Amino acid sequence: MKTWLKKRPIIATLIPVVLVMVMIFCFSAQNGSQSGQLSGRITRWVLGLVIWDFDAWSPELQTQVASNLGLVIRKMGHFSEFFLLGFFLLPHLRAVGEKITVRLPWLWSWGIGTAYAITDELHQGFVGGRHPAVPDVCIDSSGVIVGVLVAWLLLRRRKTKKE
């Protein structure tokens, strides 16, 4: 299987892009209640990792801290999802660029990722208890460009090591 994928770099680099897009779509398809419950569980898990004695706190204090930091953690989730999209888009567009000319693959990666962020927010407008938000598109787009930058730096480093 590995040799088959090495011979087809476009397919090999497309698979993670599609998987991340499907993941993002599935998260956006959750209604407001489901999304809130998932965010709450993730927030409490993150707080448990960061604050070593979080479980020993009173339930009231845990709830207060979780609600105060929940928004930040949810926005970090947006950023992280789209970071992955940008991170996988750049290698894919570079692989496509070997077959056809793709000028500025980093810009195309950012543009495609941002366009997907816009459609993701529009999709949320049709899901019960959810609504589209322009600030989320900005956060998502920032995640994409940072992911593209990290991928570019890693690919550049790998290229200089080969030389």
Side-chain angles (χ1 to χ4, degrees):
M1 174 111 175
K2 284 183 182 179
T3 57
W4 183 84
L5 285 175
K6 282 184 181 178
K7 291 179 184 176
R8 292 161 185 83
I10 292 175
I11 293 172
T13 57
L14 180 62
I15 292 169
V17 171
V18 170
L19 288 175
V20 170
M21 287 180 159
V22 167
M23 175 192 69
I24 292 169
F25 181 86
C26 289
F27 282 139
S28 292
Q30 294 177 334
N31 65 34
S33 174
Q34 292 169 325
S35 177
Q37 288 174 355
L38 178 63
S39 294
R41 285 194 309 268
I42 291 171
T43 298
R44 288 179 177 277
W45 178 76
V46 169
L47 289 173
L49 288 175
V50 175
I51 303 169
W52 64 272
D53 65 340
F54 182 72
D55 292 335
W57 291 8
S58 70
E60 297 82 20
L61 185 57
Q62 287 181 9
T63 301
Q64 182 182 7
V65 171
S67 65
N68 289 341
L69 294 177
L71 178 66
V72 173
I73 291 173
R74 278 199 316 273
K75 298 311 173 190
M76 288 172 57
H78 270 267
F79 185 89
S80 300
E81 291 172 345
F82 282 87
F83 170 91
L84 288 174
L85 183 59
F87 183 81
F88 290 124
L89 271 170
L90 183 67
H92 174 63
L93 288 176
R94 287 180 62 161
V96 168
E98 291 176 5
K99 302 291 181 188
I100 60 172
T101 303
V102 175
R103 291 181 178 254
L104 304 173
W106 67 269
L107 185 60
W108 278 98
S109 300
W110 177 69
I112 291 168
T114 300
Y116 194 73
I118 292 167
T119 62
D120 176 58
E121 289 301 315
L122 292 174
H123 169 230
Q124 287 182 29
F126 295 100
V127 177
R130 304 287 296 269
H131 62 279
V134 173
D136 284 351
V137 173
C138 296
I139 292 167
D140 299 344
S141 181
S142 299
V144 172
I145 198 66
V146 172
V148 167
L149 176 64
V150 170
W152 178 77
L153 288 170
L154 290 173
L155 290 169
R156 184 173 163 222
R157 183 175 170 198
R158 192 176 88 188
K159 183 180 176 183
T160 56
K161 277 188 174 182
K162 284 184 180 179
E163 294 172 354

